Structure formats: structure tokens, C-alpha cells
Amino acid sequence: MLTARGWWFLVLAAALLLLGVLRDLTPFALLGLTLFLWFLLEWLMFAARGHSARQHLRVVRLVVDERGPVDNLWAGRSFEVQIELWRDARPGLPYVKVTDLTPFGVEDVRGTTAADGRLDINRPLSVAYRFRCKAAGEVRFEGVRLDLADFQGFFYWRTFVTAPVVYRVLPVMLETGTPGARAKRHNVLPPPGVHRLRRPGSGSELLDLRDYMPGDPPKTIAWKVSARRDKLITKEFESEVPVRCTLFVDASNSVRLGPIGKNALSRIVEIAAVIAQTNSSNRDLTGLCLFDEAGSRIIKAGRGPRHRGEIMNRLAETATLTPATGSASADRLTPVAYAFAEEAYPQLLRSEINHVPWWMPFWWKVPTYPKRPFSILSYLVRFFLLVIALVPFTVFTFFLILGVEKLHHVFPKFIARPPSLLFTTVLTAAAIVYFLFVFVFMRVLPAVFAPRRRRLLKWRKSLSALLSVRYGLAPGGLALLLEDDEQYTLHVQRFLAEHQIPFPVPLYDSQGRYLFAAPGKIDVLTKALLQAVARGHDNELYVVLADLLELPDRLDPLVRAVRVALGRHHQVVFICPWPPDLPPPRTHERYLVAPWFHGRSQETTSKHVKKKRKPRKMERPQTDEDVYDMLEEMLEDRLHTAYERVQQALTRLGVTVICAASDRSVQVILDRMDRLRVAGIKR
Amino acid sequence: MNDAREPGLFDKHSGAFTYVLVCLGGLACLLLGLFQRGAGSWGLLPIVMALVAIVLRWRSGPVLTLLSAVWVLLARGQGLDPFAYLLGLVNEGIYTILFAPFGVTRGQAGYWVNRFPPKDYYSFQALSDPFLCGGMLIYLAGAYRLQAMVVSILPIDPRRREPAAADPNKKVKPALRPVLKQRRSANLVTPREITQLLITAAACTGAALVLWLWLSRHGDHLTQTERFWQLAASSWRAIMLVWLFGIGIIVVAGVLSYFGQGNVPREEAEMFLQDVTWRETIREQRTLMSWLAWARLRRRKREEEP
């Protein structure tokens, strides 16, 4: 609370006052007293204001674009944030600095994110700045930081006015190359939103003629044909059904890896959003199924602005998901989380309510599970240290015996020769105290030379208390998070993910297994696909946007489900996300068979083919660059092989597999939709 | 993140200029007090020091001015000019360290010999002391407020850096940018705060005078009446002062803390209770939770095993 400037002033005033009073120097005493009294008055006023500062504060936040306030944001567009901090009660605060905590999901911040001045009733402080949304997802504004100071800069107090607001950032509409069938262009074509099914129905196109059966409406009787054949013949019309497209979006841990906006999930969400928007503009029905390892959430196929909005909202929520694993390192997560907590929750880290005992960093050990295996070496080291510790005690005992012998010669009546009862008691007590001290010393010694460990432990205690209260784990939650590394890391990751703070996660566990393959999602996807088939009425299009590259050996259940779907005359398309910095698979263009798109497709792929690869180095890498090259090449080979295997497994069934390396995947889906719409119609 | 720009000191429309004027006013009072105390031309030393500090924006300017004024008064109280007083102290230091341990007697010539300390120089002077104290207070307050505008009002946080340049070609890594100085905007200065400052300075000076007179009277009284503790009047004054301020600060802090605790938000209250519970049952909770964690991991391991 007291700044360095304030300390200097206080020390000088107090020294002057003491000098004047003790040496009877009136001018100095008066000067010191004047300065001291003024300082106390300033402190009193500041403390009184500081205590009431956090109450009766209100943050009003508006995000506006050119047309006014908005509820949802759009990726890639700029918006203006207008913040007003209001104080609803007296006394006013003479100097306040308000700083908005800019969220992580935005970029290109322009303008002022801070404002200072007097904060009084009916006199708010305003901040306004512009930002641009990076990618689809969510943008979370935590609140504003409040710095209070007096005019001299003697006192300083910081707090945070928490006013979390979450805005959804909806995916941007991508250019699909060719416009969809927005209007009926030909009389043969059905109106937008429907397609013809070669089944008897109530459509307008003739399907077949059959004998009249009692109950057929008279208007369906073909009179001319009936007259020619001399019996009643009934006309059968084609069925006109809506085109349904169900999007299966993978939201498992495997696609969440990477920074938000640049990971596979963002790419999948973008594609899904474009398909949904295009379908909606064509009046086609679109359904959504979000699945991960744990389960799936389904939005039934529908159309209309409300339905489209719901799909967009779900997709935006999905885009912000972050990977989480219990194997993450607590030591790597703690500094990130603590730095953020210091910024956004300073009031919950105060030592008055979140106290870290002074001995804790030295004495406390976070238990490791599974416990360390038995090591003879560590026991030998401990035994050796104990033997060394025995030396001073042996010397002490020797001198004690000599001293007692001497005393016995001087006072033979009072002090007996060792070993006596008194001597043995004193020696035992000394031994207990000494070895207790040795034990404490040996335990504390490593921590004395590990300042980082001490600091991390201190931060961990503060964070554990905060997380425990935040997630309702109290009163035992603090101890739980201090003792259990896995629970602690999971809660820290949840905390960071909620606030959209990027954090490091390990890709492999201690035994070298990849942590984010998410094999459980295959079963979930299979179940969801079969459910969709069971519910589906007509020929439908199932678009599966999933990362299957880590699981080419586990596709059997999925293949069976796809067979069932195909057997019911549905169409299935798979879209696999692909790392943006790797060249797409060589077999890519074979499956981009949209005829009007062929030229562009060739151009794009030829660019990748033309990229010269370095010859593979089988010998030992010499430099870091060689290692990176080798790793990149190995990753590329592995992914290409996996992609070929996935393709092999699915294309045998006649299913299209598309690599989502470019916007062409969207085009193929739209092409499929068109083909579904005009199925069986010859132009 | 943005911050107020550094204002010009002599820009008439800037709040910084207002405080420059306040400082000059305070320095004028101080000079008057020093002259009346017989500082002579040496009375200009703190003034010059203060002016240089304002122009060059020294952060240590107010402290140096205060110390130089004290120095001038101390020297005048010894009957010397400040420079001679300084040399005398150096001379005394050298003698004490180098010659006194070897039994060398002090020479007849020296700076201390020719001094003629004025009688009752340090007694209360009703004309000069209020000017001295009030002038110094106004100057110090003005100088610190000026620093809040030209240097920084909030403590410098090394994690906060200047914002990135608008030009993408001139982008520098955040860690390499200069540390952000959070200044008070110069246009926020109001006439009201200047008036409040002057009134506060006058009130504090008056209160200090009254308090000092009260302390002097009671100190002398206690010296004459107290038989058991035979202390000098200055000691009695110091004891009374310590008790007065000590008790006052404790009472005020207690009251503020009491009212503060009554208005604690739910989350903070919950955290406080959790912390107390943890501290009281730290050993039991630790044992329980570590066994629970251990049991959970063993269970999982068994489940994973075929």
C-alpha cells in the first residue's frame, strides 16, 4: 500500500521529528511534526476511501459496431468496446486509474485501454478502444483493473472489479467459389430446400401409373389412359422431401491441440459453419452432432434463422474448447495461472485471507504418485549423512564425559561418575534434541537451495485456495489440491480454459504414449451415426468432420456404421483436418472430383507437388536444424501413411474422404448437396 | 494499454504548470522562514536545489531540498556556515578515526574553535517557524504531485511495457520495450484540489504548533512533578508523542479494519474461513487427502491392468 516514495517521506519525517524532540531542536520538531501530521491525514483519507473503494462499483460494457451495440461478434471483424465505471455511493475517489483487461482472443487493439481521473457519483470514467476478433469462439472480458492512488503517489492500492462478459465470436462466412442454388433456375428442378425421391408421394412429377385401388383420390385417376385400357388407372407422383444434411463435428482433445484459431478444431468449425450457412441460404435442413470422447450432443435438423443461430452458437462454443490432461506438469501450469490470478483476482490472493505460512515452502513436500521406487542409493546417502552427523555428537559426548569426570573429582558427593542415571538422562535428552535438529536440517536443506521450488509451492498454495473456493471444493479442497497433483492440474487447466488463457500441455505421458489420440471418440461417433440413421427418413447426407489420423487401426466399428448408413441409401462424406504447415496428401486431388472445380484443384495441388523436398537424411543429424527437418519429415510421412490407411478403409465402401487442407472441402460438400437435390433428374 | 503523455512544465494550460506555481509559492514561504532564522544567503541553497530538481525532474528533488534546509539550519545553529560545518564534520571524522586511537591530542586550530553558536537559536519563533513549516509542506506536496504527472503516480511494474508501435515494421518484442510509466493526466488538475492543499497545509502547520506547545508545557510539567522517573523534558515529550501517535494509529487502523471486515464479499469470506480451517487442521487434512489420492491412483492402476 505504501510506495517507495511514501516510505522515504515517512522515514524522513519521523527522523526529523525524533531529532527535534530528543535534541530539543524546536524548528526541526515542528517541521517533522507538520510533515508527519500531514502524512497521517493523507493516510487516513486514503485508507478510508480504499476500504470502501470496491463497494458500489459498477461496470457497464458495450461492444458496438457501425450499426450499434451487438450481442455476437464475427471473426475477422473489428468492434469497439465502450466501458463506463460507475460509483453509486459517496465518497468519491479522487484519483483512480481504470484499465480494461484485454481478452486473449482479440488482436490489433487500437485506442486506449485505460483512463484515469476522479470517480464520483454520477460521474463515470470511460474507456473506449477497438479490437479485431481473431477466430471463431468466444471472447471473455473479465472486468477492469482499478488502481487507486493519492495525488502525491505515497499510497497505492490495486483491485479488480470482476464483471465477466462472454461474447460469442461466430465463424466468418467463407467464399465457396460458386453460389448455391438460391432460386429455381429450371422448371425441372424442384424448389430450393427439397429434393425428389423416387418413391410415391405427393410431389408434382409423375413417377408411375398403376391400377386404381379403392380409396385413391379421384383427382389422381389418369382418365385418358383409363379410357384407352378400359379400366381405372391411377397416377403416382414422386415424393418431394427436404434435403437434410447432418454435420458430425469432432470436438475431442485430439483436435483441440494448438492455439485457438489455428488448431484443427477451428478449421473444422469454420467448414461446418460455412456448410450450415450455405444450407440455410438454400433452405436445406441442417443438423449438428458434436461429439468427443465422453459423449455427443445433437441438434435436430432444421432451418430458419433461429436454428441457424443455434448452430452457430454451438459451433462458437465448441471452438473455444481447450485440451486437458491429468498428466500435465503442475510446475509449468502454476506460473501461468498465478500470473493471471494476480491480475484478475488480486483480492483473493491477499495474505489476510490466503495466508502462506513462512515454514511451508521449506517444509512442505508435494507427494508424488506413484511413489518413488525403492532405491538403495538414496538410503545409502542418507545413512552416510547420518554417520557424518554422528561425529559432532560423539565429540560432544566425549567432552561431556571428561567434564563430568572433572566435576566428580571436585564435587565427589554431588556428582557421580559416568555412567550414572543423571548423566545418562542428560545424554539421552541431548541426543533426542540433536537428532531432531539433524532431521529438520536434512529435510529443510534442499529447499534452502531451491528458490524456484519454494516460490512454486507458495504460488500453489495460493492458487489451491482460490480454485477450491471457485469450484466449490471447500473446506477440504485446499488440502486436496495441495496433495493431489492430478486434481490440481485438472482444476488449473479448467481455470485457465475458462478464462481463455493459453497454457502448455504435454503430448506424451511418462511412458511415451500419445495423450491426445482420443480413441473413445470412435465408439461415440459410431453410436451417433447409427442413431442418425435410425432417425433418418429419406436419403440424407452425413458429413463427418473428424480427425481419424491417429486412429487408423480402430476404424472397424465406424466402418460398420457407415455400411449401415449406405445400405439405407444415405450418403456419407468424411473430412479430415490437416496441419496447415504440412503439404497435403498426394492422393488428395483424386477425390476432388467436382468437374467445375477441377482446374483450380490442379493448380493448388501442383503448388504443393512442386515444393521440393529435401533428401531424407538417414545418418545422425548434426545440427538442431537437421533434427527439426528429420522430425518434420517423419511427421509428414506418418500422417500421409495414416491418411492413406483411413482412405483405404473408407473408400472401399464408396465413401468420399476429403483432406481439409483448403477451402475445397466445402465445395465438395455443396456439390454433394446439389447432386442430392437433383438426383435422378436429367436436364 | 496507454498512458498519459509527459506534460510540459511551463505550458500554461497544463496542470503541471499549476503545481510549478504551487512549488514556487511554497519555496517563497520557506525562503522567508529561513531568512528570519538567520540563514542569510545560504538560505538560497535549498531554493536553488529545489528549482534545479523541478527543471531537471529529479525524483530525489524533494528529499534533497528538505535535507539541505535542515543542513542550513543545523549549521546556523552551530554558528557556522553550511560549508564550514561540513568541513568541520569531515575534520572531526578524520580525527576520530585516524588520530584519536593513537592518543594524538586535538590541535588548537580547527573549525570548531571559531564558532559562536547563537543563544536560543532552536527555541520557538512565532514569526519564522510557521512560514518554515508551511512553506516546506506546500513545496513538498506540490513537488510530489508534480512528479506524479511528469514521472509516475503508480509504482513502476517491470511487467508492464510500453504499447507496440502502430507501424508493423517497427514492432519490438514486449520484453524489449521500455517499462511503462503510469503518469497522472495533467488535465485532471482542478482549482479545488489546490485550495484543499493550501487549507490542509495551513491546518497541519497550525495543528503541529498547537501540539508542540502542548507537548512542551506537559513535558516541563512532568519533569518538575515526576519524582520516580527522573527524565529530561525532551524524553517526556518523545514518550508522550510515541504514545499519542501509537495509540491513535492502532485505534484508527482497528476501526477501519472492523468496518472493512463487515463488508467482505462472500467469496473472500469463504476463503478466509477455508484458510482458518486449513491452518487449524493442516495435519489431519494432509494425511486424509494424501491417502485418498494414493488410493485413487492404485484403483486406477488395478483397473488398467488386464
Side-chain angles (χ1 to χ4, degrees):
Chain A
M1 190 167 163
L2 203 58
T3 61
R5 196 181 289 172
W7 274 113
W8 270 104
F9 187 85
L10 179 63
V11 167
L12 271 177
L16 206 58
L17 181 59
L18 280 179
L19 175 75
V21 172
L22 290 175
R23 301 294 300 269
D24 217 1
L25 309 173
T26 304
F28 296 156
L30 266 176
L31 189 55
L33 207 54
T34 309
L35 299 183
F36 201 72
L37 278 175
W38 178 63
F39 188 83
L40 282 182
L41 187 69
E42 290 286 324
W43 169 73
L44 184 63
M45 287 164 67
F46 184 81
R49 283 169 183 149
H51 272 284
S52 66
R54 281 184 50 216
Q55 298 154 15
H56 311 293
L57 284 178
R58 189 161 45 94
V59 178
V60 179
R61 183 188 296 274
L62 278 180
V63 179
V64 297
D65 64 0
E66 295 74 23
R67 281 173 285 180
V70 292
D71 293 329
N72 290 318
L73 314 178
W74 290 86
R77 282 186 56 191
S78 287
F79 297 90
E80 185 177 313
V81 184
Q82 296 171 353
I83 305 160
E84 282 187 349
L85 181 69
W86 289 82
R87 185 160 171 81
D88 297 330
R90 292 184 193 283
L93 304 171
Y95 182 77
V96 172
K97 181 157 193 171
V98 185
T99 312
D100 190 37
L101 197 64
T102 320
F104 270 89
V106 305
E107 60 183 7
D108 200 15
V109 176
R110 288 182 185 183
T112 59
T113 58
D116 64 344
R118 185 181 176 82
L119 185 63
D120 216 336
I121 193 164
N122 297 329
R123 193 179 159 188
L125 268 178
S126 305
V127 180
Y129 63 92
R130 288 191 76 80
F131 70 92
R132 201 164 69 90
C133 296
K134 234 187 315 193
E138 284 176 352
V139 167
R140 182 182 162 107
F141 294 94
E142 295 293 340
V144 293
R145 201 180 69 206
L146 203 67
D147 292 303
L148 258 73
D150 62 328
F151 289 140
Q152 291 77 231
F154 288 163
F155 309 102
Y156 160 73
W157 194 64
R158 185 161 77 84
T159 187
F160 194 83
V161 185
T162 311
V165 186
V166 179
Y167 284 91
R168 284 199 186 91
V169 183
L170 302 178
V172 69
M173 181 79 176
L174 291 185
E175 287 296 325
T176 55
T178 54
R182 289 174 184 278
K184 188 176 174 182
R185 291 171 296 177
H186 196 276
N187 279 338
V188 185
L189 282 174
V194 298
H195 75 104
R196 287 174 185 162
L197 196 59
R198 292 259 177 212
R199 284 182 193 166
S202 56
S204 54
E205 292 295 324
L206 184 67
L207 176 71
D208 207 352
L209 296 172
R210 63 169 169 79
D211 290 347
Y212 175 80
M213 290 175 71
D216 283 344
K219 71 173 181 181
T220 59
I221 295 171
W223 293 108
K224 282 185 183 173
V225 181
S226 299
R228 207 178 299 136
R229 296 190 186 177
D230 199 19
K231 62 176 180 180
L232 285 174
I233 299 293
T234 304
K235 286 187 282 188
E236 266 189 351
F237 292 94
E238 279 184 351
S239 176
E240 284 183 351
V241 292
V243 177
R244 283 198 184 87
C245 171
T246 307
L247 302 165
F248 293 83
V249 173
D250 182 1
S252 64
N253 271 326
S254 64
V255 291
R256 296 179 196 174
L257 277 177
I260 290 176
K262 290 180 181 174
N263 55 9
L265 183 58
S266 301
R267 181 76 186 125
I268 286 178
V269 163
E270 267 179 20
I271 295 171
V274 171
I275 294 169
Q277 288 177 83
T278 317
N279 284 353
S280 174
S281 62
N282 287 336
R283 281 192 271 163
D284 294 332
L285 283 82
T286 310
L288 181 68
C289 172
L290 298 164
F291 68 94
D292 56 12
E293 308 94 316
S296 58
R297 283 184 302 162
I298 296 169
I299 299 177
K300 284 182 182 174
R303 60 183 159 207
R306 185 180 288 179
H307 181 76
R308 185 180 55 195
E310 195 183 345
I311 286 185
M312 289 295 149
N313 286 341
R314 292 291 159 275
L315 286 174
E317 277 172 15
T318 308
T320 55
L321 293 175
T322 49
T325 169
S327 305
S329 160
D331 289 355
R332 293 186 71 188
L333 291 174
T334 304
V336 181
Y338 189 80
F340 176 74
E342 253 191 336
E343 195 73 30
Y345 297 95
Q347 64 275 10
L348 295 182
L349 298 181
R350 284 186 296 133
S351 63
E352 294 94 359
I353 57 169
N354 195 349
H355 179 67
V356 183
W358 64 269
W359 50 265
M360 193 181 165
F362 294 96
W363 188 256
W364 199 280
K365 274 185 182 171
V366 176
T368 50
Y369 303 102
K371 287 181 178 174
R372 282 182 188 170
F374 176 78
S375 159
I376 191 81
L377 187 68
S378 67
Y379 278 89
L380 278 176
V381 168
R382 281 186 197 180
F383 181 73
F384 179 67
L385 287 174
L386 202 66
V387 169
I388 290 176
L390 271 174
V391 173
F393 190 72
T394 314
V395 173
F396 165 75
T397 312
F398 176 71
F399 281 109
L400 190 69
I401 291 169
L402 283 183
V404 172
E405 279 278 355
K406 286 275 181 195
L407 285 172
H408 171 70
H409 286 301
V410 178
F411 307 106
K413 284 184 182 175
F414 299 105
I415 297 174
R417 290 187 68 177
S420 64
L421 182 65
L422 179 70
F423 175 77
T424 314
T425 312
V426 170
L427 196 64
T428 311
I432 290 170
V433 171
Y434 176 74
F435 282 104
L436 208 62
F437 173 76
V438 168
F439 171 69
V440 171
F441 183 74
M442 280 172 69
R443 177 149 182 178
V444 165
L445 194 64
V448 171
F449 295 104
R452 186 171 178 270
R453 210 187 89 188
R454 291 205 307 270
R455 197 167 53 240
L456 284 175
L457 201 55
K458 206 174 146 189
W459 290 351
R460 178 165 178 166
K461 194 268 154 187
S462 302
L463 272 179
S464 298
L466 192 154
L467 296 173
S468 168
V469 168
R470 187 174 171 80
Y471 297 119
L473 307 175
L478 172 55
L480 172 76
L481 297 180
L482 274 175
E483 295 299 319
D484 194 334
D485 250 359
E486 189 176 330
Q487 287 295 318
Y488 173 73
T489 49
L490 283 173
H491 278 89
V492 171
Q493 286 174 78
R494 184 180 165 192
F495 176 70
L496 291 171
E498 270 179 16
H499 294 89
Q500 299 173 359
I501 314 289
F503 56 90
V505 283
L507 298 179
Y508 300 93
D509 67 1
S510 55
Q511 293 167 351
R513 289 177 298 197
Y514 185 59
L515 287 169
F516 297 101
K521 70 180 173 186
I522 294 289
D523 291 334
V524 177
L525 174 60
T526 306
K527 199 175 162 188
L529 196 58
L530 288 174
Q531 277 177 358
V533 172
R535 277 197 309 269
H537 305 294
D538 317 304
N539 299 353
E540 297 192 5
L541 175 63
Y542 297 130
V543 181
V544 183
L545 299 115
D547 176 20
L548 303 171
L549 298 181
E550 296 294 337
L551 307 161
D553 300 328
R554 304 191 187 209
L555 294 178
D556 292 344
L558 185 61
V559 168
R560 281 198 293 273
V562 171
R563 274 205 189 107
V564 172
L566 295 174
R568 298 286 293 270
H569 305 291
H570 300 302
Q571 294 196 28
V572 184
V573 176
F574 277 82
I575 299 179
C576 273
W578 190 260
D581 44 353
L582 287 183
R586 287 178 287 277
T587 49
H588 185 200
E589 64 183 331
R590 204 191 329 156
Y591 295 95
L592 290 171
V593 286
W596 58 84
F597 207 76
H598 202 253
R600 188 179 159 191
S601 142
Q602 272 185 334
E603 269 176 26
T604 321
T605 43
S606 63
K607 193 167 67 184
H608 292 299
V609 173
K610 275 177 192 172
K611 188 181 171 185
K612 240 185 183 178
R613 276 196 192 169
K614 289 181 183 176
R616 186 167 190 161
K617 291 175 184 172
M618 295 304 291
E619 66 270 12
R620 191 186 177 89
Q622 299 296 323
T623 61
D624 288 353
E625 203 180 340
D626 289 347
V627 175
Y628 287 129
D629 279 350
M630 204 170 87
L631 284 174
E632 194 182 330
E633 204 172 324
M634 284 166 67
L635 174 71
E636 192 183 319
D637 281 351
R638 190 174 68 80
L639 286 182
H640 279 185
T641 312
Y643 184 75
E644 277 166 19
R645 289 179 65 187
V646 169
Q647 243 184 0
Q648 206 176 358
L650 293 170
T651 47
R652 269 195 306 212
L653 310 173
V655 171
T656 306
V657 181
I658 303 164
C659 168
S662 70
D663 298 345
R664 289 169 296 167
S665 43
V666 176
Q667 196 56 247
V668 173
I669 303 297
L670 299 181
D671 170 43
R672 280 302 176 101
M673 292 292 289
D674 271 355
R675 276 202 276 170
L676 205 60
R677 185 174 298 114
V678 297
I681 298 171
K682 290 176 184 173
R683 295 185 194 183
Chain B
M1 183 74 196
N2 74 312
D3 216 19
R5 287 183 181 177
E6 196 173 341
L9 285 180
F10 303 105
D11 178 7
K12 285 182 184 175
H13 302 292
S14 155
F17 182 67
T18 313
Y19 275 113
V20 170
L21 292 180
V22 169
C23 287
L24 290 178
L27 287 174
C29 290
L30 179 65
L31 188 63
L32 197 61
L34 286 171
F35 279 157
Q36 284 176 346
R37 274 270 168 196
S41 57
W42 282 101
L44 289 170
L45 177 68
I47 312 301
V48 172
M49 183 76 78
L51 291 176
V52 171
I54 287 173
V55 173
L56 298 182
R57 303 176 187 205
W58 286 352
R59 292 169 70 182
S60 54
V63 173
L64 289 176
T65 307
L66 180 64
L67 289 179
S68 59
V70 169
W71 187 255
V72 169
L73 288 175
L74 269 178
R76 281 300 174 196
Q78 300 294 326
L80 297 168
D81 64 67
F83 186 65
Y85 190 49
L86 179 69
L87 287 180
L89 279 184
V90 172
N91 189 22
E92 185 72 11
I94 290 170
Y95 170 75
T96 310
I97 294 166
L98 294 179
F99 299 108
F102 301 104
V104 179
T105 53
R106 197 191 298 267
Q108 289 299 310
Y111 285 96
W112 304 116
V113 178
N114 296 329
R115 60 180 176 170
F116 302 100
K119 203 178 177 184
D120 290 338
Y121 182 77
Y122 291 120
S123 61
F124 176 65
Q125 294 181 12
L127 270 179
S128 66
D129 287 350
F131 278 106
L132 193 72
C133 298
M136 182 57 88
L137 181 54
I138 290 170
Y139 162 70
L140 286 176
Y144 279 125
R145 290 183 182 197
L146 188 62
Q147 279 195 11
M149 279 181 275
V150 298
V151 182
S152 72
I153 187 166
L154 299 173
I156 288 171
D157 184 351
R159 291 176 303 176
R160 304 197 185 287
R161 303 284 167 158
E162 292 280 354
D167 185 3
N169 297 324
K170 292 180 182 175
K171 274 192 178 171
V172 185
K173 283 183 183 175
L176 299 177
R177 288 184 213 140
V179 176
L180 185 74
K181 288 181 177 172
Q182 304 186 72
R183 303 184 186 93
R184 184 187 176 201
S185 303
N187 56 359
L188 293 174
V189 177
T190 56
R192 187 181 160 194
E193 73 181 60
I194 307 291
T195 318
Q196 275 180 350
L197 171 64
L198 296 178
I199 292 170
T200 311
C204 286
T205 311
L209 284 173
V210 171
L211 188 61
W212 180 247
L213 291 175
W214 181 82
L215 279 175
S216 303
R217 194 186 310 152
H218 280 266
D220 295 342
H221 177 70
L222 280 170
T223 311
Q224 289 161 10
T225 54
E226 182 59 49
R227 300 290 174 207
F228 186 72
W229 302 100
Q230 292 182 347
L231 297 174
S234 58
S235 304
W236 280 117
R237 277 181 218 136
I239 290 168
M240 281 195 292
L241 208 60
V242 168
W243 274 99
L244 197 68
F245 281 132
I247 289 177
I249 289 171
I250 287 170
V251 168
V252 170
V255 169
L256 285 175
S257 169
Y258 177 77
F259 282 112
Q261 279 183 358
N263 296 322
V264 165
R266 192 191 63 81
E267 218 173 20
E268 288 179 32
E270 197 179 339
M271 183 162 269
F272 176 74
L273 288 176
Q274 175 190 254
D275 215 51
V276 170
T277 314
W278 178 72
R279 269 187 278 165
E280 296 292 328
T281 58
I282 192 166
R283 198 178 174 83
E284 292 80 6
Q285 285 202 43
R286 194 168 184 207
T287 313
L288 275 173
M289 294 305 170
S290 63
W291 275 108
L292 280 173
W294 177 235
R296 191 173 50 75
L297 283 164
R298 284 194 69 180
R299 201 184 313 128
R300 185 193 290 174
K301 198 178 170 186
R302 279 182 193 154
E303 283 170 6
E304 281 178 1
E305 281 171 1

